[in-house]
Amino acid sequence: MPPFEITIVKSKRRHHRSLAERVKPVGGSLGSRWLQPTRRITAIVGCAALLGLSIFTDPRVTDRLALAALIALACATLVGWFELLFEARLTSSSPRPVESIQFPNLQWRFVFLIVALLPAIAAQTWFRESTVVAAGDITLPIGTAWVNHIFDAWVWSGSNLGGPGALQLQLPWAVIVKTVTILGGSEGLAQRLWLTLLFVGVGLSGALLARTIGLHPIGGLVAGVLYAFNPYTLSMGLGTVYALFLATEIAIALLASVVFAVARHQIGIWRGAVLLGITTPLLGVLFGTPPQLAIGIAALPLAVVAVWWVWGPSAAKRGLLGLLIGIPITLALSAYWIVPAAIQIGAAATANLAGLDTWSFAEGRATLANAFWLNPHWPWAVPEYVPYASNYSQFPLIALIYIYPAILTSLLVLRQWTLGIGSRHWNEGLAVTVPMFSIVLVLVFFSTGTRFPAGPVFTKLYGLPYGWLLREPGRFLVFNCLIYSLLAAVLVTRVASQREGASSGVGPLAEIWAGLKRWLPGPTRSTLTTALLCALGLTLAYPFLTGAVIPDTRVPAPGEVGGPGPLPSAHVSVPSYWTEMASYLNSSARRNGSVLVLPLDDFYQVSYTFGFHGSDVFIPNLIDRHVILPVPQGYFQVTPGLQPAAALTAAYLRNRDWTSAAKMLSTLGVSYILVRGDISPSIVVPGGDLPQNYDIVKADPFVTPDYQSGPLKLFATTEVPQSGTRTTPNFWTVDTPAIDPHLLAYVPDGLHLVSHHPIPGVPGLTVGGGKAVIDVGPRFSGPLAGPVVDCDGTPGHVSSVSGGVIRTDASQAFSYLKMTSTSGIACVSQPIPWKAGPIVIQALSRHIQGDVPRICVMEEGLRQCASVRNLSNSASWTNYTATIYPDPGTLSLTLYLTAGGPGLDSINEFANVRVVPVSLQTSTLKSSDSTARPSLIISETGYSRDWIGPVGAEHVKVDGIFNGWITTQDPSKPVDVHYRYTALIGTAYLVSDLGLIALALISLVRRARFRRN
């Protein structure tokens, strides 16, 4: 077959000359005289600096080289903008530059086939027979019980007693896993299909974008392969393969493709709008992590701007029109997940996750050098997470990771060239590459986050409203990942070009290039370049091909300090006893009530004896009933009071306090206790709760063994707890804003405790104070005055702490303790005279720098700090009061004031520290009291202001956990309790359904009219 050839224009040479005269830049030969040489020289400097990164490994040298590359390439890009601004624009009737671009004969259908097959085949190396992929933040993909509740407005997660539901975001995965399991397949097969489809989608979306831009199929082949196989896609999986990030790559390329296709008349405006609308399930997946959705949506305005720049206002108007029509369609079709997700975002733990200190660990590799090769991600520095990472610091990969961006920057060195995409620019190649490099350099700079050089700018942006969406800015390099693949496609086009005339430019390099073009014709050059670029991408992402991306051996490097230690394989064989236990609990023969899962989790990642260490959220997916297993460090808030109530229940069981345990189980509505015998000592949090602590549960007279499957033991409570919504006159009040679960021990059985001021006719519990047992006074005296010591018990660490009482500060009316730590934890301590009951800690604190001030009430006998709320991080003196209820098993108490943490230079100050014992008194109802007594409506749902009770009833918190309403209505009347947003969510479902129906009907009508015409 003859090679494919694009001849941009077949005009006479005089027409070419007249065109050159008409587009002569403003200022004569300004562009050719100094702008173009300046651009080329600075680009060469930037390219050389990138290549230097492949030679030098000293961080001091690489930091300077990376900064030099950033500055040089920024200068080259800026000069390129000046060249383009001085350039006249072509119109649709203007003759184009004469340039022949020769390609091998390749059709798009074969490109898409290759780009689909390569990732599909590679993905099969990730899986092992009879296993699933699970590790770290990726939980076990087992169980389909959650699919039954995918459209519920209020769902139980294990960490709460119900919360705003947003399982709709997982609709694509739900469809796949449910379909596969119904057809007899396993969850492992569903996961294989899901990840394979996503990986294939990444490659196809990259190739599709190249096609909509107007590049030749061979450019699409390069773009598709390099978009799937590159360091970003590899490293963003955090040591495995993360579906969310693959979906993000698909979204930005797919959305941009739709805009380009509409703008360039490749598809109609209506069809483009419809295509935008049907991306709604994909966008829902992205909303699982809101910053990822922001990234996906950002592709749309960027695409419109790109269309305006490359093809002009007319194309931009068409693309924008398609976008404006597509937005309401997308919103209507997305209503089924937008409304629930918007409600759920209100429950997001943004206060816990938004602080810079909550993700500072992720900036360990946030450098310019790493950003250039698309890999600033922190797990790469931990061998247990990414065992193959060390290979990238050795030859040849250490060179190739920087050769890749260096090759692409060579495009900035070229003179005038075309792509054959029908743009409005005379220098078409420069007009495309300069904006791309502008985005690349901005994101490389921005990816360093709070570190140099972006630190001051990033910190200001992060402080703006919703600035937390910028958390871990390395994620935004996904745009660079896409741009790199497109630049590679552009490079292939340039290599295949054959300008009329002997050579382009003068000098030895031009002569060498001219000789090379004569020796290797365009098709050969483009084929060879395509092969080399694809081979480079496949080499840089070789773990995708070998299966090493899902590691089996995860051990520390020799001499490693601070890592998590040996981790099990990411290929997990899930034992059958988990599905057997789930089947037993899901049976209709089981009685109603919740399942309390023990041991409780100290960290959101848990180690199991069957070879899994990762996010412990799979149990609610298996069991189709309410599960109580609060998981720390979650993205969404737990039901207030649930975690301490579950922890107290577990402590009662461990300490054989069967009566108190039974009372707590009844309060929580627990019918079954599931003891997980396959929990192993935590790799991350040593000293956590273990199964053997609950061997004594079989001696509990209030529970009976019910079922056992492998190491899983199920106990049933002898008392069947009440469930649903019910009305009772049996309740007391306590005038505190929050009810600690320890207070329930002071209330008679069968009664509930309500957080409320005293009510006539209702007994109450009064919390009072006594005489202080510790009081430092205005002069700050006593054991807490010092000396300051180091409480950091880390072996081998160098201690550097100091402090003392400041009595000479004339600006203060009191003395205060100032503690400083540059290495270690500065602290003072004093035993608390205590025998039993709760205590109150009172203090003033002021945070100067570093780690926030902290108070620890050490529970001797348990060797743990009692649960207390955090002190303020304010730089002004702030009052602090906390009531502490020592846990069962506590023998004595010791108060610690601390300042500092690992790697932080900290200064904190304390004053007016007091410890006061708490007295509890009850006021019972007098027999002669004839006051009408109100009733209490109790719901099994966790307390939320979004629940509405009967008209006139007062919403209260019951037992510190549940929704309740105090009412005087007749208890025999039906009770109307409902979730505020149920009707709104139902309307959203209706909007999506009607939108889908309307879209189908309109499309059918349009198609019928088209056929008639």
Side-chain angles (χ1 to χ4, degrees):
M1 278 187 165
F4 184 92
E5 179 175 340
I6 301 175
T7 302
I8 305 303
V9 75
K10 296 181 179 178
S11 63
K12 297 182 180 179
R13 192 169 295 277
R14 61 185 178 84
H15 291 155
H16 184 205
R17 287 197 300 270
S18 64
L19 174 62
E21 292 170 0
R22 289 204 302 274
V23 298
K24 189 174 183 179
V26 177
S29 57
L30 179 64
S32 60
R33 188 169 63 236
W34 68 271
L35 285 179
Q36 189 180 91
T38 302
R39 168 174 57 83
R40 300 183 72 199
I41 291 172
T42 52
I44 290 172
V45 172
C47 185
L50 288 175
L51 292 174
L53 292 172
S54 66
I55 301 174
F56 300 98
T57 57
D58 187 337
R60 294 171 296 181
V61 177
T62 56
D63 287 345
R64 290 182 174 88
L65 283 174
L67 183 61
L70 179 69
I71 295 173
L73 293 175
C75 291
T77 303
L78 181 61
V79 173
W81 278 114
F82 279 113
E83 287 185 72
L84 293 168
L85 293 175
F86 287 139
E87 169 196 79
R89 301 288 179 262
L90 301 176
T91 66
S92 58
S93 60
S94 300
R96 265 38 182 190
V98 179
E99 185 159 7
S100 177
I101 306 179
Q102 299 181 343
F103 295 104
N105 195 351
L106 183 64
Q107 297 181 351
W108 275 108
R109 62 174 177 268
F110 294 117
V111 169
F112 289 128
L113 180 62
I114 295 170
V115 170
L117 283 177
L118 190 57
I121 294 172
Q124 306 318 303
T125 66
W126 307 347
F127 303 95
R128 303 287 183 269
E129 187 176 357
S130 301
T131 65
V132 296
V133 174
D137 287 353
I138 302 178
T139 192
L140 294 170
I142 60 173
T144 59
W146 65 277
V147 180
N148 301 330
H149 306 280
I150 194 166
F151 292 111
D152 288 0
W154 186 263
V155 298
W156 275 253
S157 69
S159 290
N160 60 25
L161 298 175
L167 294 176
Q168 302 89 338
L169 300 176
Q170 303 181 53
L171 182 60
W173 165 239
V175 170
I176 289 177
V177 69
K178 194 67 175 180
T179 302
V180 170
T181 52
I182 287 176
L183 295 177
S186 65
E187 289 96 337
L189 177 60
Q191 184 189 44
R192 180 191 291 252
L193 179 61
W194 173 233
L195 292 179
T196 299
L197 288 174
L198 288 173
F199 197 40
V200 168
V202 173
L204 289 177
S205 63
L208 179 64
L209 183 58
R211 179 175 185 176
T212 58
I213 291 174
L215 299 176
H216 184 267
I218 202 167
L221 176 62
V222 172
V225 171
L226 292 184
Y227 193 37
F229 295 90
N230 61 79
Y232 178 88
T233 308
L234 177 66
S235 63
M236 200 59 194
L238 308 179
T240 54
V241 178
Y242 213 117
L244 174 66
F245 299 119
L246 295 180
T248 304
E249 291 190 59
I250 296 173
I252 62 173
L254 193 59
L255 294 175
S257 297
V258 173
V259 174
F260 287 160
V262 171
R264 304 195 66 230
H265 295 269
Q266 295 174 355
I267 60 176
I269 293 176
W270 172 255
R271 179 173 296 181
V274 171
L275 289 175
L276 287 177
I278 63 178
T279 63
T280 177
L282 181 63
L283 298 179
V285 171
L286 300 191
F287 194 84
T289 301
Q292 299 303 123
L293 179 63
I295 290 172
I297 293 176
L300 292 171
L302 287 175
V304 173
V305 173
V307 167
W308 171 82
W309 170 252
V310 176
W311 290 287
S314 178
K317 289 178 182 178
R318 181 178 169 87
L320 183 60
L321 180 59
L323 179 58
L324 293 177
I325 296 175
I327 287 176
I329 294 176
T330 305
L331 290 176
L333 296 182
S334 302
Y336 78 90
W337 67 260
I338 288 179
V339 172
I343 296 170
Q344 190 197 51
I345 203 68
T350 54
N352 299 330
L353 300 173
L356 290 170
D357 59 318
T358 63
W359 57 273
S360 58
F361 68 91
E363 293 194 296
R365 299 185 66 255
T367 65
L368 293 174
N370 288 331
F372 272 116
W373 73 283
L374 305 176
N375 185 3
H377 305 119
W378 67 270
W380 207 261
V382 185
E384 295 94 316
Y385 296 148
V386 189
Y388 51 82
S390 59
N391 297 335
Y392 287 77
S393 60
Q394 301 174 7
F395 186 83
L397 290 177
I398 185 63
L400 294 179
I401 58 178
Y402 293 112
I403 287 175
Y404 181 34
I407 290 174
L408 302 180
T409 58
S410 66
L411 290 169
L412 289 173
V413 181
L414 302 176
R415 290 188 174 91
Q416 179 179 305
W417 49 295
T418 64
L419 291 172
I421 61 174
S423 77
R424 59 174 177 155
H425 295 274
W426 171 261
N427 194 344
E428 200 170 55
L430 189 66
V432 170
T433 56
V434 164
M436 287 185 179
F437 275 108
S438 299
I439 296 174
V440 165
L441 297 176
V442 167
L443 292 180
V444 165
F445 170 84
F446 191 73
S447 70
T448 58
T450 62
R451 302 180 64 175
F452 178 83
V457 176
F458 179 85
T459 303
K460 289 184 179 298
L461 292 174
Y462 198 84
L464 297 174
Y466 295 98
W468 59 270
L469 290 172
L470 302 178
R471 176 189 171 107
E472 299 181 43
R475 71 177 76 236
F476 299 106
L477 290 177
V478 64
F479 287 108
N480 287 11
C481 170
L482 177 59
I483 291 172
Y484 275 18
S485 67
L486 293 176
L487 288 172
V490 169
L491 180 61
V492 170
T493 304
R494 172 55 184 161
V495 170
S497 66
Q498 181 70 51
R499 178 70 65 83
E500 288 186 0
S503 66
S504 179
V506 295
L509 290 178
E511 292 300 325
I512 292 174
W513 176 241
L516 181 62
K517 289 196 290 184
R518 288 192 295 270
W519 179 52
L520 293 174
T524 305
R525 291 198 307 272
S526 59
T527 301
L528 182 60
T529 305
T530 298
L532 290 175
L533 286 173
C534 290
L536 177 61
L538 294 174
T539 302
L540 293 178
Y542 81 89
F544 278 145
L545 297 173
T546 63
V549 67
I550 310 295
D552 285 316
T553 303
R554 304 196 293 169
V555 297
E560 178 189 350
V561 178
L567 296 176
S569 170
H571 295 104
V572 182
S573 179
V574 182
S576 60
Y577 56 73
W578 268 109
T579 54
E580 291 171 1
M581 179 60 73
S583 297
Y584 180 81
L585 280 168
N586 293 339
S587 170
S588 59
R590 307 285 81 74
R591 64 189 187 188
N592 293 331
S594 301
V595 179
L596 174 64
V597 180
L598 299 173
L600 297 176
D601 294 342
D602 297 304
F603 187 61
Y604 80 99
Q605 293 185 10
V606 175
S607 301
Y608 283 82
T609 57
F610 59 81
F612 169 62
H613 174 79
S615 181
D616 194 25
V617 294
F618 70 92
I619 297 177
N621 295 339
L622 272 169
I623 300 175
D624 195 8
R625 63 167 60 230
H626 301 165
V627 173
I628 298 178
L629 178 60
V631 177
Q633 296 91 33
Y635 278 100
F636 294 93
Q637 297 173 356
V638 301
T639 297
L642 178 61
Q643 196 281 330
L648 180 60
T649 305
Y652 284 145
L653 290 171
R654 291 194 302 269
N655 288 275
R656 296 175 177 264
D657 189 346
W658 310 128
T659 301
S660 298
K663 187 170 186 176
M664 288 301 304
L665 291 171
S666 177
T667 298
L668 291 172
V670 172
S671 290
Y672 296 98
I673 301 172
L674 175 60
V675 178
R676 301 174 289 174
D678 55 355
I679 294 291
S680 59
S682 174
I683 297 171
V684 180
V685 186
D689 205 4
L690 293 174
Q692 51 264 37
N693 296 335
Y694 300 94
D695 288 343
I696 57 174
V697 172
K698 59 187 177 184
D700 186 346
F702 299 103
V703 301
T704 58
D706 189 71
Y707 184 74
Q708 181 169 352
S709 180
L712 304 182
K713 297 178 182 179
L714 187 69
F715 297 88
T717 60
T718 55
E719 177 186 351
V720 179
Q722 293 180 307
S723 60
T725 302
R726 56 203 184 276
T727 303
T728 178
N730 302 320
F731 71 98
W732 283 13
T733 64
V734 58
D735 195 5
T736 58
I739 298 176
D740 189 281
H742 292 82
L743 286 175
L744 299 176
Y746 298 89
V747 179
D749 291 344
L751 295 180
H752 297 277
L753 197 58
V754 174
S755 181
H756 199 280
H757 58 78
I759 300 175
V762 177
L765 188 64
T766 303
V767 180
K771 183 179 179 181
V773 294
I774 293 179
D775 189 351
V776 300
R779 297 286 295 169
F780 206 109
S781 58
L784 292 179
V788 175
V789 298
D790 187 359
C791 286
D792 188 347
T794 305
H797 100 97
V798 178
S799 176
S800 179
V801 299
S802 61
V805 176
I806 307 299
R807 295 189 173 94
T808 58
D809 188 348
S811 65
Q812 304 297 333
F814 50 82
S815 301
Y816 57 88
L817 174 68
K818 181 176 183 178
M819 293 193 291
T820 301
S821 169
T822 56
S823 177
I825 301 175
C827 73
V828 293
S829 64
Q830 180 177 352
I832 300 174
W834 172 86
K835 293 183 178 180
I839 60 173
V840 171
I841 307 293
Q842 300 171 341
L844 286 176
S845 68
R846 183 165 67 174
H847 174 55
I848 307 300
Q849 72 176 52
D851 192 28
V852 297
R854 301 182 188 276
I855 285 179
C856 167
V857 177
M858 180 63 67
E859 297 176 328
E860 306 295 348
L862 301 178
R863 293 305 300 166
Q864 66 182 21
C865 291
S867 176
V868 297
R869 66 183 184 88
N870 295 330
L871 277 75
S872 170
N873 61 356
S874 172
S876 303
W877 285 109
T878 306
N879 282 303
Y880 175 82
T881 301
T883 302
I884 297 172
Y885 296 84
D887 291 306
T890 300
L891 302 178
S892 62
L893 300 174
T894 304
L895 174 64
Y896 286 83
L897 310 180
T898 71
L904 295 173
D905 293 341
S906 304
I907 302 176
N908 290 298
E909 297 168 347
F910 295 87
N912 295 351
V913 180
R914 302 177 76 240
V915 178
V916 180
V918 175
S919 62
L920 297 173
Q921 299 177 346
T922 59
S923 60
T924 57
L925 185 64
K926 297 179 180 180
S927 58
S928 60
D929 194 339
S930 60
T931 304
R933 183 170 181 173
S935 299
L936 178 67
I937 300 171
I938 306 174
S939 170
E940 63 182 355
T941 58
Y943 180 81
S944 169
R945 295 182 182 275
D946 293 331
W947 279 85
I948 308 298
V951 176
E954 182 181 1
H955 196 183
V956 293
K957 185 183 293 186
V958 179
D959 296 331
I961 306 173
F962 299 99
N963 282 306
W965 291 267
I966 296 176
T967 180
T968 56
Q969 76 173 29
D970 185 355
S972 62
K973 291 183 178 181
V975 176
D976 178 23
V977 173
H978 61 276
Y979 180 44
R980 182 192 305 272
Y981 298 111
T982 300
L984 177 61
I985 293 173
T987 303
Y989 294 159
L990 181 62
V991 168
S992 291
D993 291 340
L994 294 178
L996 186 61
I997 294 171
L999 193 64
L1001 292 176
I1002 294 172
S1003 297
L1004 289 174
V1005 170
R1006 288 175 58 86
R1007 186 171 183 178
R1009 288 180 178 177
F1010 177 78
R1011 286 182 174 179
R1012 286 200 301 269
N1013 294 334

